Amino acid sequence: MTKDFLPISQADMKKRGWREVDFVYVIGDAYVDHHSFGPAIISRVLESHGYKIGIIAQPDWKNEESIQVFGKPRLGFLVSAGNMDTMVNHYTVAKKHRKQDAYSPGGIMGKRPDRATIVYGNLIRKVYKHVPIIIGGIEASLRRLGHYDYWSDRVKRSILLDSGADLISYGMGEHSIVEIADALDSGIDIKDITFVAGTVFKAKSLENVYDYIELPDYQEIFENKHKFAESFYIQYCNTDPFTGKRLVEKYKDTEYIVQNPPAKPLTRQEMDDVYALPYMRTYHPIYEKDGGIPAIKELQFSLVSNRGCFGGCNFCALTFHQGRIVQTRSHESILEEAKILTEEKDFKGYINDVGGPTANFRHTSCEKQLTKGVCKNRQCLFPTPCKNLTVDHKDYISLLRKLRKLPKVKKVFVRSGVRFDYAITDKDDTFIRELCQYHVSGQLKVAPEHVSDKVLPLMGKPSNEVYERFIRAYKKINEELGMKQYVVPYLMSSHPGSTMKEAVKLAEYIRDMGYMPEQVQDFYPTPATISTCMYYTGLDPRTMEKVYVPKSAHEKEMQRALIQYRNPKNYDLVFEALKLAKRMDLIGYDKRCLIRPKDKKQVGKQEKGLKKQKKKRTIRNVHKKK
């Protein structure tokens, strides 16, 4: 196997002695050959199985010639929008254009279209009428069936229909893409590849489809929010590779979308093999003149330890993409990569991260998951830890200790997110102790997201008391170590269930912490999450109970402003929010107040309002005594 970037031109192809490529991989990101980038993994996995891959990164979607670089591939086209959903990449939650694209040369925006998977798929189909097209990556994966689209504010069809593609390889596609490639190579027509786990295909009838659950049809979910919630929850309960059923979504009498059950998780050996492939570990040199690709900076000296997450946050799409079964690399695999990092010319002695979706998950949540799958209607950590949960940090502690001892390594950071509720459930405090002592640089980032016990259950997060327990333990250990280190909490505004009253409660908590968040995440309704289903339907799909949803842009601005109430720019929004919440007692000069009155007239009105409130309370108390 040649240790070089995969071909990006005819000249590169001829240099390798190839007359054609088996697959052309069209990507929305710039070409970065690093295992933190999905297209790099898929292309290298195919290469390791003997397939020839040509890369077309960020083609000019207005020019048909841009996808004809290699001519007609022998087996087909692969299409991925890249590491991020293009709409999330392009737009803020307020639907405003972002200024930078970290996955494009020099961070310049505009190198790819909105809904890149659809645009690229149709461009290819226009030029190559009958060549197989397989789409994948997070954009395709989360839109594999009918889904709510925040940017158009409507329910859209399966991306398989709108892209003109033949198959979707959803989730982490190492298993499915090789099986698809082998089937095509053996001469099976793309229309007959209906048997691969982790794929979605089109069918004209259900005559040859078996053991399936039929979802409400597309027209029903388009017109009826209750039906949408019902359909979504069936999908959510069938994301496990061991228990998941085949799902069918009808569009017309002769048009069905069929989702096969998810592919099996990778074994540890398979994970090791994937991460040992000959990645160049950086961006293609053609981007050097533009200043490189910004996204590689943090990832270049980070180590992927695991994938999958049993945390179960409702606003996260990991359940639909990577799944709830945690898969891990061996210590040997990670240490071998760490040694390679230390030899790179730009390495300064700091490993930026050792983790994955959740840093401190290094094994499945319980033993049965690897044979029987995860529980359909129960979470591992929420609302309280399951009695069968395996809580043990020994393996992760051991890995971090080994990494710390490597020559040339000065510091090993843990930045990909520590699940604090899992950490505090461990009766042995060694992990938190060593985290404080060796793996934090002044600030530890954790994600309580909110403090209201009315909002937290809708987020799939534990009660605020659990977070408080973790904070006390973290503070105590730092004091014992003689270290001054702080927690930086990630907080979210405008999540379904958050009324103005709950938003004020969060602001009061921030006041009492004496902390001013620099960054606040407004809830972003991305496809395929429980929270997005709540946002669109106003229903909790798990119970079908109604949920309050802050939807107007102005209300969202107010909730966000409350979290950053000390910012003078937010004064008017905070004042209006407090007025709406009937919390004018928080405007004044008392240390409990969030903001000060603007003038004496306002102070007078405020005092008058407080006196009225006091009088009403007194009258109520008198009546109670009577």
Side-chain angles (χ1 to χ4, degrees), residues 98 121 155 190 300 462:
R98 296 191 194 274
V155 175
I190 188 71
Q300 191 174 5

Side-chain angles (χ1 to χ4, degrees), residues 8 20 30 88 100 196 218 232 257 279 328-329 372 387 401 438 489 524 531:
I8 64 167
E20 64 178 352
V88 177
Q100 188 184 43
V196 178
Y218 174 71
F232 175 84
I257 294 295
Y279 305 99
T328 58
R329 295 168 65 186
K372 296 180 180 177
K387 63 180 181 180
R401 285 173 178 171
Y438 300 110
Y524 206 146
S531 299

Side-chain angles (χ1 to χ4, degrees), residues 5-16 18-27 31 52-57 59 64-78 127-128 131 284:
F5 288 94
L6 294 170
I8 64 167
S9 65
Q10 283 275 351
D12 288 348
M13 187 174 73
K14 289 172 183 174
K15 195 174 167 183
R16 290 190 174 216
W18 299 353
R19 280 188 284 184
E20 64 178 352
V21 294
D22 297 318
F23 291 99
V24 173
Y25 205 152
V26 179
I27 308 167
Y31 178 29
K52 301 181 180 74
I53 316 297
I55 304 289
I56 301 178
E64 293 177 9
E65 291 181 4
S66 67
I67 48 94
Q68 298 179 54
V69 173
F70 298 99
K72 181 181 176 182
R74 184 173 74 89
L75 296 176
F77 277 89
L78 308 176
V127 178
Y128 300 100
V131 175
H284 196 284

Side-chain angles (χ1 to χ4, degrees), residues 143-161:
R143 290 170 164 77
R144 56 190 187 254
L145 293 167
H147 55 280
Y148 172 68
D149 181 78
Y150 171 67
W151 302 273
S152 61
D153 193 26
R154 61 189 288 264
V155 175
K156 293 183 77 72
R157 307 190 304 170
S158 164
I159 197 170
L160 192 57
L161 296 172

